[in-house]
Amino acid sequence: MRRILVAEDNDSNFILMGYLLKKHYEVIRAINGIDAVEKVEQGGIDMVLMDLKMPEMDGLQATRIIKEKYPDMPIIALTANAFSSDREQAFEAGCDEFLSKPVNSELCLETIAKLLK
Ligand SMILES: [Mg+2]
């Protein structure tokens, strides 16, 4: 089973994402950007779902660090503030895809499957 790191500081959002993913993927959580970088460095992660707004280190910064070291690691940005500037910033930081919250379950699963191919 492929392993997805869900970087999400909000417990409810993480639980919802867990329900969506756990049937098809092994789900691991990071609670902020620093934790996300550390968990990717520990290895075995196939993809990251990255909340952009997190304490300590936000998702943009974590994405830059991860992509510098692991350019092939697929990263999907997630954010509640779906302004076009957020989208631009996410792609500039190196995110491969961008989904706005609340997440459309079907679209989320499709996007993950596409990037894991
Ligand atoms: Mg957040």
mmCIF file of all heavy atoms in Angstrom, residues 2-8 14 17-18 21 25-51 54 62 66 73-78 112 116:
data_model
loop_
_atom_site.group_PDB
_atom_site.id
_atom_site.type_symbol
_atom_site.label_atom_id
_atom_site.label_comp_id
_atom_site.label_asym_id
_atom_site.label_seq_id
_atom_site.Cartn_x
_atom_site.Cartn_y
_atom_site.Cartn_z
ATOM 1 N N ARG A 2 0.539 2.198 -0.855
ATOM 2 C CA ARG A 2 1.319 3.437 -0.909
ATOM 3 C C ARG A 2 1.089 4.243 0.359
ATOM 4 O O ARG A 2 0.017 4.201 0.948
ATOM 5 C CB ARG A 2 0.901 4.278 -2.117
ATOM 6 C CG ARG A 2 0.986 3.551 -3.414
ATOM 7 C CD ARG A 2 2.403 3.394 -3.917
ATOM 8 N NE ARG A 2 2.351 3.235 -5.359
ATOM 9 C CZ ARG A 2 2.754 4.148 -6.228
ATOM 10 N NH1 ARG A 2 3.322 5.251 -5.830
ATOM 11 N NH2 ARG A 2 2.640 3.943 -7.511
ATOM 12 N N ARG A 3 2.114 5.002 0.714
ATOM 13 C CA ARG A 3 2.056 5.732 1.974
ATOM 14 C C ARG A 3 1.971 7.240 1.725
ATOM 15 O O ARG A 3 2.850 7.810 1.086
ATOM 16 C CB ARG A 3 3.306 5.388 2.778
ATOM 17 C CG ARG A 3 3.209 5.763 4.231
ATOM 18 C CD ARG A 3 4.451 5.329 4.966
ATOM 19 N NE ARG A 3 4.497 3.893 5.173
ATOM 20 C CZ ARG A 3 5.614 3.262 5.556
ATOM 21 N NH1 ARG A 3 6.742 3.913 5.724
ATOM 22 N NH2 ARG A 3 5.586 1.963 5.760
ATOM 23 N N ILE A 4 0.919 7.839 2.247
ATOM 24 C CA ILE A 4 0.698 9.277 2.058
ATOM 25 C C ILE A 4 0.886 10.017 3.378
ATOM 26 O O ILE A 4 0.310 9.640 4.401
ATOM 27 C CB ILE A 4 -0.713 9.549 1.504
ATOM 28 C CG1 ILE A 4 -0.859 8.904 0.127
ATOM 29 C CG2 ILE A 4 -0.991 11.056 1.432
ATOM 30 C CD1 ILE A 4 -2.179 9.171 -0.554
ATOM 31 N N LEU A 5 1.711 11.038 3.322
ATOM 32 C CA LEU A 5 1.904 11.900 4.483
ATOM 33 C C LEU A 5 0.915 13.058 4.394
ATOM 34 O O LEU A 5 0.911 13.811 3.419
ATOM 35 C CB LEU A 5 3.336 12.441 4.505
ATOM 36 C CG LEU A 5 3.672 13.374 5.672
ATOM 37 C CD1 LEU A 5 3.672 12.621 6.998
ATOM 38 C CD2 LEU A 5 5.024 14.040 5.459
ATOM 39 N N VAL A 6 0.060 13.151 5.408
ATOM 40 C CA VAL A 6 -0.897 14.253 5.466
ATOM 41 C C VAL A 6 -0.381 15.272 6.477
ATOM 42 O O VAL A 6 -0.369 15.019 7.684
ATOM 43 C CB VAL A 6 -2.313 13.753 5.861
ATOM 44 C CG1 VAL A 6 -3.285 14.928 5.995
ATOM 45 C CG2 VAL A 6 -2.840 12.742 4.851
ATOM 46 N N ALA A 7 0.085 16.407 5.964
ATOM 47 C CA ALA A 7 0.576 17.475 6.833
ATOM 48 C C ALA A 7 -0.594 18.407 7.114
ATOM 49 O O ALA A 7 -1.043 19.140 6.233
ATOM 50 C CB ALA A 7 1.729 18.215 6.162
ATOM 51 N N GLU A 8 -1.114 18.324 8.324
ATOM 52 C CA GLU A 8 -2.354 19.052 8.678
ATOM 53 C C GLU A 8 -2.348 19.320 10.177
ATOM 54 O O GLU A 8 -2.262 18.398 10.977
ATOM 55 C CB GLU A 8 -3.551 18.169 8.276
ATOM 56 C CG GLU A 8 -4.904 18.673 8.717
ATOM 57 C CD GLU A 8 -5.259 20.029 8.144
ATOM 58 O OE1 GLU A 8 -5.448 20.137 6.922
ATOM 59 O OE2 GLU A 8 -5.328 21.013 8.927
ATOM 60 N N PHE A 14 -7.700 16.528 9.663
ATOM 61 C CA PHE A 14 -6.905 15.312 9.498
ATOM 62 C C PHE A 14 -7.790 14.069 9.554
ATOM 63 O O PHE A 14 -7.626 13.148 8.756
ATOM 64 C CB PHE A 14 -5.795 15.211 10.547
ATOM 65 C CG PHE A 14 -5.083 13.895 10.467
ATOM 66 C CD1 PHE A 14 -4.199 13.632 9.431
ATOM 67 C CD2 PHE A 14 -5.352 12.882 11.380
ATOM 68 C CE1 PHE A 14 -3.584 12.398 9.307
ATOM 69 C CE2 PHE A 14 -4.740 11.644 11.270
ATOM 70 C CZ PHE A 14 -3.853 11.404 10.231
ATOM 71 N N MET A 17 -9.676 13.633 6.347
ATOM 72 C CA MET A 17 -8.781 13.187 5.280
ATOM 73 C C MET A 17 -8.431 11.715 5.485
ATOM 74 O O MET A 17 -8.360 10.945 4.523
ATOM 75 C CB MET A 17 -7.524 14.068 5.279
ATOM 76 C CG MET A 17 -6.659 13.931 4.063
ATOM 77 S SD MET A 17 -7.522 14.130 2.497
ATOM 78 C CE MET A 17 -7.538 15.904 2.333
ATOM 79 N N GLY A 18 -8.243 11.337 6.729
ATOM 80 C CA GLY A 18 -7.941 9.939 7.047
ATOM 81 C C GLY A 18 -9.044 9.002 6.575
ATOM 82 O O GLY A 18 -8.780 7.964 5.979
ATOM 83 N N LEU A 21 -8.894 8.581 2.815
ATOM 84 C CA LEU A 21 -7.724 7.916 2.224
ATOM 85 C C LEU A 21 -7.472 6.492 2.704
ATOM 86 O O LEU A 21 -6.868 5.698 1.985
ATOM 87 C CB LEU A 21 -6.462 8.742 2.508
ATOM 88 C CG LEU A 21 -6.426 10.173 1.975
ATOM 89 C CD1 LEU A 21 -5.110 10.828 2.368
ATOM 90 C CD2 LEU A 21 -6.607 10.193 0.469
ATOM 91 N N TYR A 25 -4.906 3.870 0.969
ATOM 92 C CA TYR A 25 -3.530 4.249 1.268
ATOM 93 C C TYR A 25 -3.231 4.135 2.755
ATOM 94 O O TYR A 25 -4.125 4.218 3.590
ATOM 95 C CB TYR A 25 -3.280 5.713 0.843
ATOM 96 C CG TYR A 25 -3.594 5.973 -0.599
ATOM 97 C CD1 TYR A 25 -4.763 6.623 -0.968
ATOM 98 C CD2 TYR A 25 -2.724 5.551 -1.600
ATOM 99 C CE1 TYR A 25 -5.069 6.857 -2.300
ATOM 100 C CE2 TYR A 25 -3.024 5.783 -2.940
ATOM 101 C CZ TYR A 25 -4.194 6.432 -3.284
ATOM 102 O OH TYR A 25 -4.484 6.649 -4.600
ATOM 103 N N GLU A 26 -1.955 3.983 3.034
ATOM 104 C CA GLU A 26 -1.516 4.082 4.421
ATOM 105 C C GLU A 26 -1.323 5.572 4.708
ATOM 106 O O GLU A 26 -0.688 6.275 3.927
ATOM 107 C CB GLU A 26 -0.194 3.336 4.603
ATOM 108 C CG GLU A 26 0.215 3.210 6.047
ATOM 109 C CD GLU A 26 1.504 2.417 6.213
ATOM 110 O OE1 GLU A 26 1.815 1.565 5.338
ATOM 111 O OE2 GLU A 26 2.204 2.672 7.195
ATOM 112 N N VAL A 27 -1.892 6.044 5.791
ATOM 113 C CA VAL A 27 -1.878 7.476 6.094
ATOM 114 C C VAL A 27 -0.998 7.760 7.310
ATOM 115 O O VAL A 27 -1.107 7.100 8.342
ATOM 116 C CB VAL A 27 -3.307 7.990 6.371
ATOM 117 C CG1 VAL A 27 -3.291 9.472 6.735
ATOM 118 C CG2 VAL A 27 -4.196 7.752 5.165
ATOM 119 N N ILE A 28 -0.120 8.732 7.128
ATOM 120 C CA ILE A 28 0.742 9.169 8.220
ATOM 121 C C ILE A 28 0.503 10.664 8.394
ATOM 122 O O ILE A 28 0.242 11.371 7.429
ATOM 123 C CB ILE A 28 2.215 8.884 7.860
ATOM 124 C CG1 ILE A 28 2.425 7.369 7.868
ATOM 125 C CG2 ILE A 28 3.175 9.564 8.828
ATOM 126 C CD1 ILE A 28 3.759 6.945 7.397
ATOM 127 N N ARG A 29 0.588 11.140 9.633
ATOM 128 C CA ARG A 29 0.310 12.560 9.855
ATOM 129 C C ARG A 29 1.559 13.333 10.252
ATOM 130 O O ARG A 29 2.403 12.838 11.001
ATOM 131 C CB ARG A 29 -0.720 12.718 10.980
ATOM 132 C CG ARG A 29 -1.111 14.179 11.190
ATOM 133 C CD ARG A 29 -2.043 14.334 12.384
ATOM 134 N NE ARG A 29 -2.514 15.714 12.480
ATOM 135 C CZ ARG A 29 -3.293 16.166 13.451
ATOM 136 N NH1 ARG A 29 -3.700 15.352 14.400
ATOM 137 N NH2 ARG A 29 -3.661 17.438 13.472
ATOM 138 N N ALA A 30 1.635 14.547 9.745
ATOM 139 C CA ALA A 30 2.596 15.527 10.254
ATOM 140 C C ALA A 30 1.767 16.698 10.769
ATOM 141 O O ALA A 30 0.767 17.067 10.158
ATOM 142 C CB ALA A 30 3.533 15.991 9.144
ATOM 143 N N ILE A 31 2.170 17.281 11.893
ATOM 144 C CA ILE A 31 1.339 18.323 12.508
ATOM 145 C C ILE A 31 1.783 19.739 12.148
ATOM 146 O O ILE A 31 1.104 20.704 12.474
ATOM 147 C CB ILE A 31 1.297 18.176 14.050
ATOM 148 C CG1 ILE A 31 2.715 18.168 14.636
ATOM 149 C CG2 ILE A 31 0.535 16.926 14.442
ATOM 150 C CD1 ILE A 31 2.740 18.372 16.141
ATOM 151 N N ASN A 32 2.915 19.859 11.499
ATOM 152 C CA ASN A 32 3.350 21.183 10.997
ATOM 153 C C ASN A 32 4.425 20.951 9.933
ATOM 154 O O ASN A 32 4.771 19.804 9.616
ATOM 155 C CB ASN A 32 3.871 22.072 12.145
ATOM 156 C CG ASN A 32 5.034 21.467 12.896
ATOM 157 O OD1 ASN A 32 5.980 20.964 12.281
ATOM 158 N ND2 ASN A 32 4.980 21.502 14.223
ATOM 159 N N GLY A 33 4.944 22.033 9.384
ATOM 160 C CA GLY A 33 5.909 21.900 8.304
ATOM 161 C C GLY A 33 7.210 21.231 8.697
ATOM 162 O O GLY A 33 7.782 20.452 7.934
ATOM 163 N N ILE A 34 7.665 21.523 9.908
ATOM 164 C CA ILE A 34 8.918 20.914 10.380
ATOM 165 C C ILE A 34 8.752 19.398 10.467
ATOM 166 O O ILE A 34 9.597 18.624 10.014
ATOM 167 C CB ILE A 34 9.312 21.492 11.764
ATOM 168 C CG1 ILE A 34 9.634 22.987 11.642
ATOM 169 C CG2 ILE A 34 10.507 20.730 12.353
ATOM 170 C CD1 ILE A 34 9.795 23.686 12.989
ATOM 171 N N ASP A 35 7.627 19.001 11.049
ATOM 172 C CA ASP A 35 7.311 17.581 11.184
ATOM 173 C C ASP A 35 7.209 16.932 9.798
ATOM 174 O O ASP A 35 7.682 15.802 9.589
ATOM 175 C CB ASP A 35 5.987 17.465 11.953
ATOM 176 C CG ASP A 35 5.687 16.059 12.431
ATOM 177 O OD1 ASP A 35 6.632 15.254 12.558
ATOM 178 O OD2 ASP A 35 4.499 15.769 12.694
ATOM 179 N N ALA A 36 6.630 17.641 8.842
ATOM 180 C CA ALA A 36 6.485 17.099 7.486
ATOM 181 C C ALA A 36 7.859 16.835 6.861
ATOM 182 O O ALA A 36 8.103 15.768 6.288
ATOM 183 C CB ALA A 36 5.685 18.063 6.609
ATOM 184 N N VAL A 37 8.752 17.806 6.981
ATOM 185 C CA VAL A 37 10.097 17.651 6.418
ATOM 186 C C VAL A 37 10.796 16.453 7.079
ATOM 187 O O VAL A 37 11.388 15.605 6.403
ATOM 188 C CB VAL A 37 10.933 18.938 6.619
ATOM 189 C CG1 VAL A 37 12.382 18.705 6.239
ATOM 190 C CG2 VAL A 37 10.336 20.087 5.801
ATOM 191 N N GLU A 38 10.691 16.366 8.398
ATOM 192 C CA GLU A 38 11.341 15.267 9.126
ATOM 193 C C GLU A 38 10.801 13.914 8.693
ATOM 194 O O GLU A 38 11.551 12.961 8.494
ATOM 195 C CB GLU A 38 11.140 15.440 10.639
ATOM 196 C CG GLU A 38 12.079 16.482 11.228
ATOM 197 C CD GLU A 38 11.803 16.759 12.705
ATOM 198 O OE1 GLU A 38 10.896 16.118 13.294
ATOM 199 O OE2 GLU A 38 12.495 17.630 13.261
ATOM 200 N N LYS A 39 9.478 13.830 8.544
ATOM 201 C CA LYS A 39 8.879 12.527 8.197
ATOM 202 C C LYS A 39 9.241 12.123 6.762
ATOM 203 O O LYS A 39 9.450 10.940 6.496
ATOM 204 C CB LYS A 39 7.375 12.560 8.426
ATOM 205 C CG LYS A 39 7.087 12.655 9.938
ATOM 206 C CD LYS A 39 5.821 11.985 10.362
ATOM 207 C CE LYS A 39 5.848 11.741 11.874
ATOM 208 N NZ LYS A 39 4.888 12.526 12.622
ATOM 209 N N VAL A 40 9.353 13.097 5.858
ATOM 210 C CA VAL A 40 9.786 12.755 4.494
ATOM 211 C C VAL A 40 11.230 12.265 4.537
ATOM 212 O O VAL A 40 11.587 11.280 3.874
ATOM 213 C CB VAL A 40 9.639 13.967 3.550
ATOM 214 C CG1 VAL A 40 10.356 13.723 2.230
ATOM 215 C CG2 VAL A 40 8.167 14.264 3.293
ATOM 216 N N GLU A 41 12.056 12.925 5.344
ATOM 217 C CA GLU A 41 13.474 12.539 5.427
ATOM 218 C C GLU A 41 13.654 11.150 6.028
ATOM 219 O O GLU A 41 14.642 10.469 5.736
ATOM 220 C CB GLU A 41 14.256 13.581 6.235
ATOM 221 C CG GLU A 41 14.526 14.825 5.397
ATOM 222 C CD GLU A 41 15.226 15.938 6.163
ATOM 223 O OE1 GLU A 41 15.188 15.923 7.405
ATOM 224 O OE2 GLU A 41 15.789 16.823 5.493
ATOM 225 N N GLN A 42 12.699 10.731 6.854
ATOM 226 C CA GLN A 42 12.778 9.381 7.436
ATOM 227 C C GLN A 42 12.547 8.297 6.381
ATOM 228 O O GLN A 42 12.899 7.146 6.587
ATOM 229 C CB GLN A 42 11.763 9.237 8.578
ATOM 230 C CG GLN A 42 12.219 9.921 9.872
ATOM 231 C CD GLN A 42 11.082 10.142 10.871
ATOM 232 O OE1 GLN A 42 10.012 9.527 10.755
ATOM 233 N NE2 GLN A 42 11.301 11.007 11.835
ATOM 234 N N GLY A 43 11.939 8.689 5.258
ATOM 235 C CA GLY A 43 11.784 7.759 4.139
ATOM 236 C C GLY A 43 10.462 7.017 4.124
ATOM 237 O O GLY A 43 9.712 7.028 5.091
ATOM 238 N N GLY A 44 10.192 6.363 2.982
ATOM 239 C CA GLY A 44 9.011 5.532 2.839
ATOM 240 C C GLY A 44 7.737 6.270 2.478
ATOM 241 O O GLY A 44 6.665 5.669 2.384
ATOM 242 N N ILE A 45 7.831 7.580 2.254
ATOM 243 C CA ILE A 45 6.641 8.363 1.896
ATOM 244 C C ILE A 45 6.535 8.451 0.373
ATOM 245 O O ILE A 45 7.510 8.747 -0.313
ATOM 246 C CB ILE A 45 6.740 9.807 2.476
ATOM 247 C CG1 ILE A 45 6.918 9.795 3.994
ATOM 248 C CG2 ILE A 45 5.527 10.652 2.050
ATOM 249 C CD1 ILE A 45 5.740 9.298 4.778
ATOM 250 N N ASP A 46 5.328 8.186 -0.159
ATOM 251 C CA ASP A 46 5.122 8.233 -1.608
ATOM 252 C C ASP A 46 4.544 9.556 -2.095
ATOM 253 O O ASP A 46 4.629 9.869 -3.287
ATOM 254 C CB ASP A 46 4.173 7.102 -2.036
ATOM 255 C CG ASP A 46 4.795 5.749 -1.784
ATOM 256 O OD1 ASP A 46 5.849 5.467 -2.383
ATOM 257 O OD2 ASP A 46 4.259 4.973 -0.974
ATOM 258 N N MET A 47 3.917 10.295 -1.190
ATOM 259 C CA MET A 47 3.274 11.559 -1.579
ATOM 260 C C MET A 47 2.963 12.373 -0.334
ATOM 261 O O MET A 47 2.784 11.806 0.738
ATOM 262 C CB MET A 47 1.972 11.253 -2.322
ATOM 263 C CG MET A 47 1.022 12.424 -2.365
ATOM 264 S SD MET A 47 -0.400 12.126 -3.386
ATOM 265 C CE MET A 47 0.346 12.023 -4.973
ATOM 266 N N VAL A 48 2.877 13.693 -0.524
ATOM 267 C CA VAL A 48 2.521 14.561 0.601
ATOM 268 C C VAL A 48 1.285 15.374 0.249
ATOM 269 O O VAL A 48 1.214 15.972 -0.827
ATOM 270 C CB VAL A 48 3.665 15.546 0.953
ATOM 271 C CG1 VAL A 48 3.297 16.380 2.181
ATOM 272 C CG2 VAL A 48 4.983 14.800 1.193
ATOM 273 N N LEU A 49 0.306 15.368 1.159
ATOM 274 C CA LEU A 49 -0.809 16.319 1.080
ATOM 275 C C LEU A 49 -0.459 17.416 2.071
ATOM 276 O O LEU A 49 -0.341 17.167 3.262
ATOM 277 C CB LEU A 49 -2.140 15.666 1.466
ATOM 278 C CG LEU A 49 -2.691 14.579 0.558
ATOM 279 C CD1 LEU A 49 -4.138 14.280 0.930
ATOM 280 C CD2 LEU A 49 -2.617 14.968 -0.897
ATOM 281 N N MET A 50 -0.266 18.610 1.562
ATOM 282 C CA MET A 50 0.324 19.687 2.370
ATOM 283 C C MET A 50 -0.653 20.821 2.627
ATOM 284 O O MET A 50 -0.981 21.590 1.714
ATOM 285 C CB MET A 50 1.554 20.206 1.609
ATOM 286 C CG MET A 50 2.387 21.220 2.353
ATOM 287 S SD MET A 50 3.380 20.462 3.652
ATOM 288 C CE MET A 50 4.821 19.939 2.691
ATOM 289 N N ASP A 51 -1.113 20.915 3.864
ATOM 290 C CA ASP A 51 -1.888 22.089 4.261
ATOM 291 C C ASP A 51 -0.929 23.277 4.206
ATOM 292 O O ASP A 51 0.222 23.173 4.633
ATOM 293 C CB ASP A 51 -2.407 21.882 5.688
ATOM 294 C CG ASP A 51 -3.188 23.078 6.213
ATOM 295 O OD1 ASP A 51 -3.790 23.802 5.404
ATOM 296 O OD2 ASP A 51 -3.188 23.279 7.445
ATOM 297 N N MET A 54 -0.001 26.277 8.514
ATOM 298 C CA MET A 54 0.328 25.474 9.694
ATOM 299 C C MET A 54 1.277 26.285 10.579
ATOM 300 O O MET A 54 2.005 27.150 10.087
ATOM 301 C CB MET A 54 1.023 24.167 9.282
ATOM 302 C CG MET A 54 0.140 23.206 8.503
ATOM 303 S SD MET A 54 0.926 21.605 8.224
ATOM 304 C CE MET A 54 2.159 22.056 7.004
ATOM 305 N N ALA A 62 7.799 24.285 3.876
ATOM 306 C CA ALA A 62 8.068 22.844 3.940
ATOM 307 C C ALA A 62 8.184 22.257 2.531
ATOM 308 O O ALA A 62 9.052 21.428 2.251
ATOM 309 C CB ALA A 62 6.956 22.144 4.722
ATOM 310 N N ILE A 66 11.409 20.290 0.982
ATOM 311 C CA ILE A 66 11.260 18.901 0.514
ATOM 312 C C ILE A 66 11.625 18.793 -0.968
ATOM 313 O O ILE A 66 12.359 17.888 -1.377
ATOM 314 C CB ILE A 66 9.812 18.404 0.765
ATOM 315 C CG1 ILE A 66 9.562 18.235 2.270
ATOM 316 C CG2 ILE A 66 9.560 17.081 0.028
ATOM 317 C CD1 ILE A 66 8.098 18.026 2.645
ATOM 318 N N MET A 73 9.241 14.036 -5.313
ATOM 319 C CA MET A 73 8.187 13.758 -4.340
ATOM 320 C C MET A 73 6.925 14.536 -4.716
ATOM 321 O O MET A 73 6.937 15.762 -4.753
ATOM 322 C CB MET A 73 8.658 14.196 -2.938
ATOM 323 C CG MET A 73 7.602 14.060 -1.851
ATOM 324 S SD MET A 73 7.133 12.355 -1.515
ATOM 325 C CE MET A 73 8.656 11.718 -0.780
ATOM 326 N N PRO A 74 5.825 13.825 -5.023
ATOM 327 C CA PRO A 74 4.601 14.552 -5.375
ATOM 328 C C PRO A 74 4.022 15.268 -4.147
ATOM 329 O O PRO A 74 3.927 14.669 -3.075
ATOM 330 C CB PRO A 74 3.647 13.452 -5.849
ATOM 331 C CG PRO A 74 4.462 12.213 -5.980
ATOM 332 C CD PRO A 74 5.640 12.373 -5.078
ATOM 333 N N ILE A 75 3.663 16.533 -4.331
ATOM 334 C CA ILE A 75 3.074 17.307 -3.238
ATOM 335 C C ILE A 75 1.805 17.999 -3.733
ATOM 336 O O ILE A 75 1.830 18.705 -4.745
ATOM 337 C CB ILE A 75 4.054 18.360 -2.683
ATOM 338 C CG1 ILE A 75 5.324 17.677 -2.146
ATOM 339 C CG2 ILE A 75 3.384 19.197 -1.586
ATOM 340 C CD1 ILE A 75 6.361 18.640 -1.571
ATOM 341 N N ILE A 76 0.720 17.760 -3.009
ATOM 342 C CA ILE A 76 -0.544 18.431 -3.312
ATOM 343 C C ILE A 76 -0.807 19.468 -2.230
ATOM 344 O O ILE A 76 -0.859 19.137 -1.041
ATOM 345 C CB ILE A 76 -1.723 17.433 -3.360
ATOM 346 C CG1 ILE A 76 -1.483 16.372 -4.435
ATOM 347 C CG2 ILE A 76 -3.040 18.167 -3.607
ATOM 348 C CD1 ILE A 76 -2.554 15.282 -4.479
ATOM 349 N N ALA A 77 -0.959 20.719 -2.630
ATOM 350 C CA ALA A 77 -1.253 21.787 -1.679
ATOM 351 C C ALA A 77 -2.740 21.813 -1.370
ATOM 352 O O ALA A 77 -3.571 21.591 -2.244
ATOM 353 C CB ALA A 77 -0.829 23.126 -2.273
ATOM 354 N N LEU A 78 -3.057 22.056 -0.102
ATOM 355 C CA LEU A 78 -4.454 22.190 0.320
ATOM 356 C C LEU A 78 -4.596 23.483 1.086
ATOM 357 O O LEU A 78 -3.812 23.751 1.995
ATOM 358 C CB LEU A 78 -4.838 21.037 1.251
ATOM 359 C CG LEU A 78 -4.848 19.638 0.669
ATOM 360 C CD1 LEU A 78 -4.898 18.613 1.781
ATOM 361 C CD2 LEU A 78 -6.041 19.460 -0.236
ATOM 362 N N ILE A 112 -4.695 12.366 -6.515
ATOM 363 C CA ILE A 112 -3.675 11.521 -5.896
ATOM 364 C C ILE A 112 -3.285 10.379 -6.842
ATOM 365 O O ILE A 112 -2.107 10.125 -7.076
ATOM 366 C CB ILE A 112 -4.181 10.948 -4.555
ATOM 367 C CG1 ILE A 112 -4.300 12.073 -3.516
ATOM 368 C CG2 ILE A 112 -3.270 9.836 -4.044
ATOM 369 C CD1 ILE A 112 -5.039 11.668 -2.253
ATOM 370 N N LEU A 116 0.408 9.576 -8.489
ATOM 371 C CA LEU A 116 1.133 8.374 -8.047
ATOM 372 C C LEU A 116 1.445 7.430 -9.194
ATOM 373 O O LEU A 116 2.142 6.439 -9.025
ATOM 374 C CB LEU A 116 0.329 7.642 -6.969
ATOM 375 C CG LEU A 116 0.409 8.221 -5.556
ATOM 376 C CD1 LEU A 116 -0.499 7.431 -4.617
ATOM 377 C CD2 LEU A 116 1.841 8.227 -5.028
#
